[in-house]
Amino acid sequence: MKKQMMLVTLVLALSAQAGAAQTDKSAAPPPPMKPLAQQTQAALWASRVLSRYHYKAMPLDDAMSEKIFDRYFKSLDAEKLFFVQADIDRFAPVRSKLDDAINGEDLSAPFAIYNLYQQRFEERMAYARELLKTKFDFTQDESYQLDREKAAWPKNDDEVRDLWRKRVKNDWLRLKLAGKDDKSIRETLDKRYESYVTRSRKLNNEDVFQIFMNAYAMSIEPHTNYLGPRASENFDIAMRLSLEGIGAVLQTRDEYTVVREIVPGSPAGLSGKLKVGDRIIGVGQGDSGPITEVLGWRIDDVVQLIRGTKDSTVRLDILPADAGPDAKHTVLALVRKKISMEEQSAKKSIIEVRDNGVKRRIGVISLPTFYQDFDARRRGDKDFKSATRDVSRLLGELKKDKVDNVLIDLRNNGGGSLNEAVDLTGLFIDKGPVVMQRNAEGKVDTESDTNAGLAWDGPMGVLINRGSASASEIFAAAIQDYGRGLVIGEGSFGKGTVQTLIDLNRFGGSDKARFGELKMTVAQFFRINGGTTQLRGVTPDIKLPAMSDTENFGESSYDNALPWVSIKPANYTPTGDLKDIVPLLDKKHEARVAKDKDFQYLQDDIALIVKQRKDNQLSLNEAVRRKERDAQDARAKAREKRLIAQISNPGDDLVVIPDPKDVKSAAGKTAKQQIAAVKGALRTDDGLQGDERALSAELDAETAAKSAKDVLLNETARILADEVGLIKADTRLAAKVLPYATDAKGAPATATTAK
């Protein structure tokens, strides 16, 4: 009790200090944040769950408090641009007392820290805006540090002000190099810094509480998180790929809520009255409910008003896209429906590769996430949304298209449902174990495919990169361990842990409790060969250039990641043997890319990025930067010329055939559209942020990026085409590579059983 009282007294003193100064008299900052009673209770219940039931259960004690303290400051100011060392020292007395704060249901300390952060944020922004009134000297030889995460905290205000001087100078120089004059640069940056403050002032105590609780959860292990009530709802939507609403993607631009995209077939799309660029000024419920003005609101608050129960009515007060701020509004009534997020669903395409007059058809299935509608499945809905179901359907379509090989593209697929990873593997193997799980007590369970038959029994491959994690690694590892298909790409993320959702509301003793959820690590998964993907990830059979920053991205970048370990292998028998064909394919791959100009461009880009990361410095000398920009422009123009020539005179080496149902596919565009996409994708830095460009320009840039040639995917398709050629020419090799049915010539037989 005495310790708790000392903590309260100390926090009150610190809070008074933190709120002592104001930075902008013309626009007073918001009042200091305070925790809600339900948040202090949620923190207590979360700590009890985490300290007892986590896979790596750790007591909430002074040692854990110190870890939380450090991670909380890092979460607020990762680049060390706002706090100074004196700020950290000011709160040093609570460094080992955050455990008492949580157990004593008193979160004054973390909220006082946040309030000081908000004050410092506004001070830095005010200083940045003052700097815009000065004149920068771009003839000086000085540089700006790009990544300050590993730097020390600034010693004092003079040091942090110098950091901001260089940051603002770099922002100015980028716009200057893009051809902007001083007046427009000053206006653009002043508006940018003002908007930073506006957005920061929209954070609420739920946001602050979630930041603090994640600092606690992630101090135990990187993949344990606290989800506030709203974050929990969004996580559920992401897993089931559906919601109940009107089918419009929204964003904030200049304090307006703007329609960025309209989902085809949705209430918004079918109405024909809502357009991209329209601004939503107000939202009303039902046919006659009052309209609430939402100008200046946070985007998630606006979205919360627009979402609602299926078949209910929502009314939108619309300011048309091209109208002035004082133009006449229109009111649009829409009936909410279930909206499927098809953009995140599995999609297929076909890549035709020609080699010496022989055509190979490679079916590509892109899977962004391992989604599943858990609630619908629990309810017994026979048509519940599922990644495996969608992939199975696409495989059936690809068989009708008579493809020779199938590629599952898992690049940047961060995972999802463990069940889906197991079921998806089952589409390509007959029966057998897929992954093993070991819980905190050391008990090992094996998840297996128990359904006989395959959806695809021909040759296959899996494309991965550093962004392929968790469920993606389970699938890729199982395919590799069975010898079922080629794994191609770069080493994966290295996440070998299993999380479950714990609803904290059940501890509230009331139906109105809003405590949020814990996404908590409860087990570690292991490959069927006994190893784990934890830390090391999946190593591809054929490696492509690594584009990721492995020091700052991936499991190995975390300071508290679980170690790599192994257990006894599962009882399984590899069905294929790829050791003879991999060297042959690798040799063909290396010979081809040595002469591929696009591939060499990619390798040059990667080398340049690696050098920039290593240097971690950007010159603020205009002459130096212009020289760098001229070199960049020259590279871009050379590539543009080459790509346009390829579009105007396409060869027959490789052709991408999109799914006709994929209306957003980058393939299948006219030559004129493709040329426009090339020019957009290769544009040089304009110094602007996304919301500072016209919405149409921003959308065009995204389209251009999606339409850009996918060098790695194309080369992967060629590798799989090589595989088809080799197994068709060699029955002995075919017998090893194809674990299931082959005909007398070694070609893949038609799958007889589809799941």
Side-chain angles (χ1 to χ4, degrees), residues 617-673:
Q617 297 286 337
L618 201 58
S619 174
L620 295 177
N621 182 291
E622 183 177 353
V624 172
R625 288 282 285 275
R626 283 200 181 277
K627 185 176 180 181
E628 293 172 352
R629 182 184 175 91
D630 290 345
Q632 179 187 358
D633 287 345
R635 287 196 303 270
K637 287 178 181 177
R639 297 182 189 190
E640 180 180 311
K641 183 177 180 181
R642 168 180 163 76
L643 291 171
I644 290 175
Q646 289 177 333
I647 292 167
S648 303
N649 300 287
D652 59 358
D653 167 50
L654 186 146
V655 178
V656 180
I657 305 171
D659 186 341
K661 297 190 287 288
D662 185 4
V663 295
K664 291 188 177 182
S665 172
K669 297 183 182 297
T670 65
K672 185 176 180 180
Q673 289 172 318

Side-chain angles (χ1 to χ4, degrees), residues 575-612:
T575 51
D577 184 356
L578 304 178
K579 68 176 183 294
D580 289 343
I581 201 170
V582 166
L584 301 176
L585 294 173
D586 209 19
K587 185 177 180 180
K588 284 177 171 286
H589 157 66
E590 292 293 344
R592 180 168 48 245
V593 299
K595 295 182 284 187
D596 187 333
K597 196 68 176 176
D598 293 327
F599 210 86
Q600 291 166 17
Y601 281 150
L602 178 64
Q603 291 176 315
D604 290 344
D605 287 343
I606 293 172
L608 181 60
I609 292 170
V610 169
K611 183 180 183 302
Q612 290 174 340

